[in-house]
Amino acid sequence: MKEEFMRRAIALSVDNVKNGGGPFGAVIVKDNEIIATGVNRVTASCDPTAHAEVSAIRNASAKLGTFNLSGCEIYTSCEPCPMCLGAIYWARLDKIYYANTKEDAKDIAFDDSFIYEEIALKPSDRKLPSESLLRNEAIKAFQAWASKDDKVSY
């Protein structure tokens, strides 16, 4: 079954190129059944977060009515980028299967290595300038959350 699910992700990626999207496809599987798919629609939708894995996660979460996708696995046509990897962890998917590697993606100008390098740096040392503002005011929301009895943890 694993190969069939991966072939579906790969077919989605090939079809998406024909339809004006990027060469990425993903499927989310629960109990040996595809419950959601996604393709890269970054340029088509003018949404830099519209990667195949994120789209599949959004679709699976909507279908299952939960943000917690434990019990599900993702099959993606390429090793996830840092954003997608983060989304996969937050969604609590049980396993990632991928076909193409991040090096394969780099070879066709989808190079995420600079993001991996940036994440390892202190914010003050990153290429994208950032600074903390109004932390003393913002912390109030965190304090309210911490003391909330009926919060839904995630």
Side-chain angles (χ1 to χ4, degrees):
M1 293 296 293
K2 290 180 193 178
E3 289 81 7
E4 290 178 37
F5 298 140
M6 184 57 75
R7 284 190 183 99
R8 178 70 175 125
I10 292 167
L12 287 166
S13 71
V14 171
D15 289 344
N16 199 48
V17 171
K18 293 175 188 173
N19 294 315
F24 305 96
V27 300
I28 294 181
V29 173
K30 183 177 177 107
D31 299 326
N32 285 322
E33 179 184 335
I34 295 174
I35 59 163
T37 65
V39 294
N40 180 290
R41 301 304 290 170
V42 170
T43 57
S45 65
C46 298
D47 178 357
T49 68
H51 289 203
E53 298 92 335
V54 171
S55 296
I57 288 168
R58 289 175 180 161
N59 293 336
S61 294
K63 181 172 183 174
L64 297 176
T66 182
F67 57 85
N68 185 334
L69 298 179
S70 295
C72 298
E73 298 175 331
I74 189 165
Y75 292 76
T76 179
S77 64
C78 186
E79 185 176 357
C81 75
M83 177 185 68
C84 293
L85 186 60
I88 289 165
Y89 273 99
W90 279 113
R92 294 174 178 77
L93 290 155
D94 290 355
K95 190 164 184 176
I96 303 167
Y97 296 93
Y98 62 91
N100 292 314
T101 67
K102 60 186 175 183
E103 290 78 18
D104 295 329
K106 182 177 181 177
D107 289 345
I108 60 165
F110 288 94
D111 185 7
D112 300 319
S113 58
F114 74 97
I115 298 174
Y116 286 106
E117 293 165 6
E118 288 283 295
I119 288 170
L121 299 174
K122 295 185 301 186
S124 61
D125 294 335
R126 294 178 184 157
K127 290 182 177 93
L128 181 62
S130 62
E131 67 180 273
S132 179
L133 291 175
L134 303 176
R135 181 174 175 265
N136 291 336
E137 294 178 31
I139 202 73
K140 292 175 186 171
F142 282 13
Q143 292 166 340
W145 176 260
S147 64
K148 189 173 173 64
D149 290 330
D150 62 344
K151 63 183 166 232
V152 176
S153 296
Y154 59 95

